[in-house]
C-alpha cells in the first residue's frame, strides 16, 4: 500500500534542520514506502540530505526561509501562514499535496494554523491534543486534551473520549479501549458538573451490549493512576491535562536525576551502578520522551502531528511513524464512524426515555 506523502516542517524545533531530516531518514529506513515533502530552506535541507542518500529519491523540497519562532503569538503566526515553513506544511495537507504534516515548532501556532486550514470534522466542536505516555503495562496510555482547550464542557469531553478511543485502537490495537475521565476521585459524586454529565452520557452510550461504539467507559481515574496501565484512554480538559502532563514529565526527570546523583555519590555507588546497569538502562529507555514522541491534533479534517521541540532524531522518527500509521488506518474515518454510533446510541436512549415517561430520567 502506498501512503500519501508526509510534509515535514524542517525548520521547526530546537535542534534544527539536521535533526528533522535525520529523523525522517530513520523512519524511512524502517519503512521504505514513506515519501516526504520537506518544507524549509532549500540549501540547508540539501546539505542535511547529503548524509541520507535513502531520502533523496523519496523527497521533494518546498523552499521557504521564513520560520515561526517558539515564542510567537498564534494570532501573529496565523497571518504568516502562507510564508512560513509550518504554515506551508499544514497547507500541503489542506491542498492534498501531503496526507499529514509533522512539525516540532510552536504548539499554539501549529494548533491555530491547523484548525483554520483544515477545519474540524463534522460532529466535532473542538479539536484536542492527544499524546502517548508510558505505563507499567506493555501498552502506552492515550491522554487528551493536553492543551488545545483550556475549558471543556460535557459535550466536548464525550467527543474527546470518542476520538481518544479511535486513536488508541490504532496505536495500541485494542478492539474496545477502556476510557476514563480524569477526576479528583473515582466516586460518582466527585468532580464538576461537566465531568459528571459527560460520565452519564458515556455510560448511557456504552450500556447497550449491542452498541457499535468501540470503547468501554469505566468511570473516573485519579492522576496518580494514569501511568498504571489499567486505563487505555484518559480524557480531560486541556488546562488540567497540560498540568498533569508536566507533573508526570517532571516526576520522571526527578527520578532519573536522583538515580544519577545516587550512583555517582561514591565509589561503592559507582560499582553498584555497574551491577544494576541493565535495569537502569531499561528504566531510562522507558522514561525517555523520545520513545513516546508525537502528539496528534484529533478532530481535524487531516492528520497533523506535533513533535516535541527538543526531540532528537529518534523522537522525530517516532513522530513521523505516528503520522504514517494514522494515515494507514484512516483515523478520521474511524472517528466519523464512532461519532455516528454515538449518535445512534443517544437516539436509542432518548427513545427509551420517551417510551417510559415515568422513569427517573424522564422526571
Amino acid at each position: 500500500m502506498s501512503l500519501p506523502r508526509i510534509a515535514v516542517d524542517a525548520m521547526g524545533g530546537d535542534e534544527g534542520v539536521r535533526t528533522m531530516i535525520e529523523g525522517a531518514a530513520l523512519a524511512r529506513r524502517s519503512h521504505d514506502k514513506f515519501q516526504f515533502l520537506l518544507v524549509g530552506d532549500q540549501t540547508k535541507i540539501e546539505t542535511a540530505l547529503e548524509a541520507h542518500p535513502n531520502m533523496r529519491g523519496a523527497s521533494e523540497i518546498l523552499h521557504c526561509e521564513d520560520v515561526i519562532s517558539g515564542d510567537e503569538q498564534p494570532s501573529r503566526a496565523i497571518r504568516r501562514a502562507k510564508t512560513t515553513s509550518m504554515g506551508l506544511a499544514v497547507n500541503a495537507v489542506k491542498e492534498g499535496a501531503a496526507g499529514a504534516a509533522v512539525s516540532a515548532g510552536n504548539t499554539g501556532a501549529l494548533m491555530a494554523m491547523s484548525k483554520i486550514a483544515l477545519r474540524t470534522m463534522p460532529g466535532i466542536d473542538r479539536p484536542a491534543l492527544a499524546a502517548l505516555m508510558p505505563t507499567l503495562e506493555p501498552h502506552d496510555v492515550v491522554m487528551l486534551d493536553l492543551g488545545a482547550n483550556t475549558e471543556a464542557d460535557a459535550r466536548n469531553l464525550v467527543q474527546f473520549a470518542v476520538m481518544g478511543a479511535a486513536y488508541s485502537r490504532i496505536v495500541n490495537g485494542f478492539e474496545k479501549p477502556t476510557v476514563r475521565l480524569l477526576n479528583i476521585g473515582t466516586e460518582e459524586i466527585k468532580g464538576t458538573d461537566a465531568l459528571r454529565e459527560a460520565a452519564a452520557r458515556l455510560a448511557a452510550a456504552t450500556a447497550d451490549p449491542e452498541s457499535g461504539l468501540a470503547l468501554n467507559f469505566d468511570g473516573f481515574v485519579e492522576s496518580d493512576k494514569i501511568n498504571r496501565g489499567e486505563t487505555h484512554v484518559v480524557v480531560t480538559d486541556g488546562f488540567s491535562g497540560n498540568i498533569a502532563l508536566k507533573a508526570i514529565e517532571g516526576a520522571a526527570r526527578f527520578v532519573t536525576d536522583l538515580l544519577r546523583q545516587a550512583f555517582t555519590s561514591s565509589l561503592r555507588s559507582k560499582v553498584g551502578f555497574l551491577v544494576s546497569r541493565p535495569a537502569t538502562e531499561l528504566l531510562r529507555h522507558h522514561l525517555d520522551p523520545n520513545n513516546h514522541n508525537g502528539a496528534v491534533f484529533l478532530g481535524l479534517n487531516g492528520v497533523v502531528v506535533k513533535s516535541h521541540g527538543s526531540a532528537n532524531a529518534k523522537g522525530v522518527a517516532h513522530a513521523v511513524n505516528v503520522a504514517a500509521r494514522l494515515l494507514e488506518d484512516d483515523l478520521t474515518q474511524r472517528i466519523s464512524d464512532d461519532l455516528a454510533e454515538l449518535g445512534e446510541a443517544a437516539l436509542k436512549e432518548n427513545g427509551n426515555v420517551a417510551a417510559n415517561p415515568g422513569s427517573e430520567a424522564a422526571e
Side-chain angles (χ1 to χ4, degrees):
M1 174 185 176
S2 61
L3 285 174
R5 61 182 176 174
I6 298 170
V8 176
D9 171 15
M11 309 296 284
D14 304 338
E15 302 301 318
V17 175
R18 182 187 59 80
T19 297
M20 295 302 295
I21 300 303
E22 184 180 353
L26 278 176
R28 193 170 194 278
R29 198 171 298 164
S30 302
H31 305 278
D32 59 8
K33 59 189 175 183
F34 287 2
Q35 301 286 316
F36 296 99
L37 176 65
L38 306 175
V39 188
D41 187 294
Q42 183 166 352
T43 301
K44 293 180 179 179
I45 293 174
E46 288 179 343
T47 300
L49 285 174
E50 291 177 0
H52 305 287
N54 72 318
M55 286 285 288
R56 288 194 170 278
S59 304
E60 178 185 345
I61 299 173
L62 178 58
H63 177 67
C64 174
E65 297 181 3
D66 200 3
V67 182
I68 298 295
S69 65
D71 59 355
E72 190 164 337
Q73 290 293 325
S75 57
R76 183 173 183 271
I78 290 171
R79 294 195 292 271
R80 301 199 302 124
K82 295 182 179 180
T83 64
T84 55
S85 59
M86 179 187 290
L88 291 175
V90 172
N91 190 65
V93 179
K94 176 185 177 181
E95 299 296 330
V102 177
S103 175
N106 184 315
T107 304
L110 184 61
M111 177 79 257
M113 286 183 180
S114 300
K115 187 173 180 180
I116 289 176
L118 302 177
R119 304 295 180 182
T120 53
M121 298 171 54
I124 297 295
D125 297 328
R126 298 179 180 181
L129 183 62
L132 299 172
M133 290 191 289
T135 72
L136 292 177
E137 298 299 325
H139 62 81
D140 291 331
V141 60
V142 174
M143 188 167 177
L144 72 164
D145 178 23
L146 296 177
N149 308 278
T150 55
E151 296 180 352
D153 59 23
R155 178 182 169 90
N156 299 144
L157 293 172
V158 171
Q159 292 172 1
F160 295 170
V162 170
M163 295 190 295
Y167 183 36
S168 180
R169 296 206 309 278
I170 290 174
V171 295
N172 288 322
F174 297 118
E175 184 177 347
K176 281 195 171 187
T178 298
V179 177
R180 290 175 180 158
L181 297 169
L182 185 64
N183 203 344
I184 57 173
T186 58
E187 300 86 350
E188 292 183 359
I189 61 171
K190 292 287 183 70
T192 63
D193 291 342
L195 277 171
R196 293 196 301 273
E197 183 180 345
R201 292 187 185 185
L202 287 167
T206 56
D208 185 355
E210 297 183 2
S211 169
L213 189 60
L215 65 88
N216 290 313
F217 178 66
D218 195 27
F220 301 128
V221 63
E222 295 178 88
S223 56
D224 63 333
K225 300 295 193 301
I226 291 173
N227 301 101
R228 301 298 298 179
E230 301 164 359
T231 305
H232 303 146
V233 181
V234 174
V235 175
T236 185
D237 62 86
F239 185 83
S240 304
N242 194 268
I243 290 175
L245 174 65
K246 297 295 174 58
I248 291 170
E249 290 177 340
R253 286 193 295 270
F254 170 74
V255 170
T256 53
D257 290 346
L258 193 63
L259 285 173
R260 186 180 299 110
Q261 290 179 7
F263 281 128
T264 57
S265 61
S266 67
L267 178 60
R268 178 178 293 182
S269 297
K270 293 176 181 178
V271 173
F273 169 72
L274 293 176
V275 174
S276 61
R277 188 167 185 172
T280 55
E281 284 297 309
L282 179 62
L283 176 64
R284 184 184 65 80
H285 175 81
H286 203 56
L287 295 179
D288 185 352
N290 288 294
N291 295 323
H292 310 277
N293 187 45
V296 184
F297 293 127
L298 298 177
L300 298 173
N301 291 301
V303 174
V304 178
V305 176
K306 171 66 175 70
S307 173
H308 200 288
S310 61
N312 60 22
K314 182 175 66 173
V316 173
H318 195 280
V320 171
N321 284 325
V322 167
R325 193 164 181 185
L326 297 182
L327 289 175
E328 284 181 314
D329 290 279
D330 200 351
L331 173 68
T332 53
Q333 186 58 52
R334 288 197 181 212
I335 293 174
S336 294
D337 293 343
D338 286 353
L339 287 172
E341 290 289 346
L342 182 67
E344 291 182 10
L347 287 174
K348 287 182 180 179
E349 179 67 16
N350 290 336
N352 289 336
V353 170
N356 299 281
S359 68
E360 183 179 349
E363 295 171 2

